[in-house]
Amino acid sequence: RTHGNLVSMAVRVMVLVTMAIHAAEAIKMHRGAALPALRSLPLHWPPPRSTALSRTACMVAGAAATTGDDSSSQISEWAKQESLVVTKGPHVKVAGKTLNPCGLFICILTMSVCACCYPPLLLSYALSRVFDNKKRRMVDYIVNIWAKMSMLLCTYRPKVTGLEHLPHTDEAFMFIPNHTSFLDIFSMSGFVPRRMKYISKIEILRIPLIGWAMQFAGHIAIRRMDRRSQMQTFKDAITTLENGNSVVTFAEGTRSKDGKLKKFKKGPFKMSSKAGVRIIPVSICNMYRWMPSSALLPVAFPRQVEIKLHAPVETAGRDEAEVSKEVFGIINRGLPPYQQAAPGAVV
């Protein structure tokens, strides 16, 4: 009982601290308050503005002012998003990464929801092993509920566009999104109406509760520095696609450190071609600002995140390098300017 009371008290404290931080930020934004009390604390408050982001915001805003075509409203919206500065609030450094109360609260909440989902998850896993071992749809539905509930309780719901590109059949696809945060996985799993398997590094699948749930669902592990593991992952992914499962793989290989789209690996396109499935490019916009590479966990509750599902790209009978270049271009054009690859970037 004492342990339960302590956990309950800790969660309440985290909620109150997080609410206080957001209230302080709102006061500062709308009234221009200097918050002298917070400045006097021996914590990192406020973080410096990102010079690069601010410069980009000015460029985008300038483009919005001078553009006279129909795209000006979109450019103006991008400028508005870019001008938003996400403050980390009071925070500490853990292994060189930023950790603040909001990130800790999201972590505790996500793990708590996952723990609550475990009884039906274990039952679904047992039934799936007997009746649906190739797809394990019952497990997928529990993971979908867990991901969506976790994000909704964090007051986060991304805007999803392009749903018309998902046919009403059970056709398997290879989903290829840009990658900036582990929240990409929660967003795709919770809000894209398609049950999917992920190709994820082995370290993620070893995380208690979360990693175990991904293993129960049949997600695919990879050891990025192990050539033999990469070959096994390649075979497992093709088998999963041939079994009628859609697969999500991050073609950049790892999360982008500056939010910009990076060069693609060849593996996902070889998998798609070998399995004979189409590719759905996905642009995940504005997630980076809420969890930059310098942060251990999200620094604030995400806002203004958009998931753009693009039209399927055919792979049958096509050169893999050509498909990769086409998918790269589609994803890149769907991202806001500050996340787009540098002009002339190697695909």
Side-chain angles (χ1 to χ4, degrees), residues 81-102:
Q81 294 172 357
E82 181 64 14
S83 64
L84 173 65
V85 177
V86 179
T87 57
K88 303 171 185 176
H91 62 278
V92 297
K93 292 288 185 177
V94 178
K97 299 281 189 176
T98 298
L99 176 63
N100 69 1
C102 184

Side-chain angles (χ1 to χ4, degrees), residues 221-295:
I222 182 173
R223 294 179 177 85
R224 289 183 296 188
M225 304 306 293
D226 186 335
R227 179 64 177 171
R228 182 178 299 177
S229 172
Q230 293 174 9
M231 293 302 297
Q232 185 60 49
T233 298
F234 185 86
K235 295 177 182 178
D236 291 344
I238 292 174
T239 300
T240 300
L241 289 165
E242 290 176 342
N243 286 339
N245 296 291
S246 291
V247 171
V248 180
T249 182
F250 300 105
E252 295 162 284
T254 187
R255 57 183 289 200
S256 171
K257 294 188 180 303
D258 60 3
K260 294 182 180 295
L261 189 63
K262 301 302 181 185
K263 180 181 177 181
F264 282 173
K265 305 291 185 182
K266 299 178 181 179
F269 305 96
K270 292 181 180 293
M271 295 174 192
S272 304
S273 179
K274 183 74 173 178
V277 300
R278 296 190 289 171
I279 295 173
I280 292 189
V282 183
S283 301
I284 302 179
C285 308
N286 292 316
M287 183 65 80
Y288 174 75
R289 64 172 68 253
W290 307 102
M291 188 178 170
S293 57
S294 60

Side-chain angles (χ1 to χ4, degrees), residues 35-50:
L35 301 179
L38 285 177
R39 288 183 183 277
S40 65
L41 293 175
L43 300 169
H44 305 277
W45 176 276
R49 286 175 175 264
S50 170

Side-chain angles (χ1 to χ4, degrees), residues 114-235:
C114 182
C116 292
C117 288
Y118 251 75
L121 178 68
L122 293 174
L123 177 60
S124 300
Y125 173 66
L127 293 174
S128 295
R129 286 301 300 267
V130 177
F131 300 106
D132 186 28
N133 194 40
K134 290 184 177 181
K135 293 185 177 180
R136 304 186 188 181
R137 283 293 177 264
M138 294 181 66
V139 180
D140 289 338
Y141 284 119
I142 299 299
V143 171
N144 165 254
I145 292 171
W146 161 45
K148 178 175 286 188
M149 287 300 299
S150 296
M151 297 299 95
L152 291 178
L153 288 171
C154 292
T155 69
Y156 161 59
R157 186 185 188 97
K159 177 182 178 182
V160 181
T161 59
L163 292 175
E164 66 275 9
H165 298 309
L166 295 179
H168 297 295
T169 64
D170 289 333
E171 178 183 354
F173 290 99
M174 175 71 82
F175 288 84
I176 299 184
N178 58 302
H179 188 32
T180 62
S181 162
F182 76 82
L183 291 178
D184 297 337
I185 298 175
F186 279 86
S187 300
M188 292 282 291
S189 297
F191 300 98
V192 175
R194 203 70 161 195
R195 307 289 73 82
M196 301 169 285
K197 313 296 185 184
Y198 290 82
I199 298 178
S200 181
K201 58 183 181 180
I202 188 66
E203 292 83 1
I204 298 295
L205 272 67
R206 289 173 176 166
I207 298 175
L209 298 181
I210 294 177
W212 301 340
M214 294 179 70
Q215 292 184 54
F216 292 154
H219 294 259
I220 304 164
I222 182 173
R223 294 179 177 85
R224 289 183 296 188
M225 304 306 293
D226 186 335
R227 179 64 177 171
R228 182 178 299 177
S229 172
Q230 293 174 9
M231 293 302 297
Q232 185 60 49
T233 298
F234 185 86
K235 295 177 182 178

